[in-house]
Amino acid sequence: QVQFVESGGGLVQPGGSLRLSCAASGSIFKLYTLGWYRQAPGKQREFVADITRGGSPNYIDSVKGRFAISRDNTGNTMYLQMNSLKPEDTGVYYCNTPSLIRAWGQGTQVTVSS
């Protein structure tokens, strides 16, 4: 069974930075495009960014130029570097495989507030 473990969240002031990590089962990590999602309080979970096996990234417009997704296939870890954070980036961040959504992990809380 695939498991995702997200980490790296926290409380940060507007304009600050965080780096999120996602560890996933080795058997699927190398084979699939991997994605980051987030769920703000009272809202549905939304797609944020994904990265192909070859390392090509894709972002939603609201995070372009501020977030950077990367992956380390050797270490079975995916990252999301988040810069110039805004209050609207607040939420629980999750990782998964966009082509086939699997069981969600616990997520990691990101709070952007002064």
Side-chain angles (χ1 to χ4, degrees):
Q1 185 175 351
V2 176
Q3 286 188 319
F4 298 103
V5 179
E6 302 90 351
S7 62
L11 172 63
V12 63
Q13 292 186 339
S17 298
L18 285 172
R19 189 191 195 206
L20 307 184
S21 298
C22 166
S25 302
S27 61
I28 65 107
F29 194 92
K30 300 176 180 61
L31 299 177
Y32 291 90
T33 292
L34 299 171
W36 283 100
Y37 300 77
R38 66 186 178 191
Q39 187 166 20
K43 295 188 177 181
Q44 289 191 332
R45 188 157 19 211
E46 67 169 348
F47 169 84
V48 175
D50 65 19
I51 185 166
T52 66
R53 290 183 296 171
S56 295
N58 175 48
Y59 305 94
I60 56 173
D61 287 346
S62 62
V63 307
K64 282 181 181 177
R66 300 188 298 120
F67 289 12
I69 190 171
S70 61
R71 65 191 290 169
D72 174 3
N73 288 337
T74 301
N76 295 343
T77 306
M78 176 177 64
Y79 303 97
L80 186 67
Q81 177 66 44
M82 305 188 297
N83 300 323
S84 302
L85 282 161
K86 303 176 180 180
E88 51 263 44
D89 295 318
T90 293
V92 181
Y93 283 68
Y94 303 88
C95 55
N96 215 306
T97 47
S99 61
L100 177 63
I101 297 296
R102 307 169 192 270
W104 295 98
Q106 298 257 343
T108 185
Q109 175 71 48
V110 172
T111 304
V112 185
S113 175
S114 55

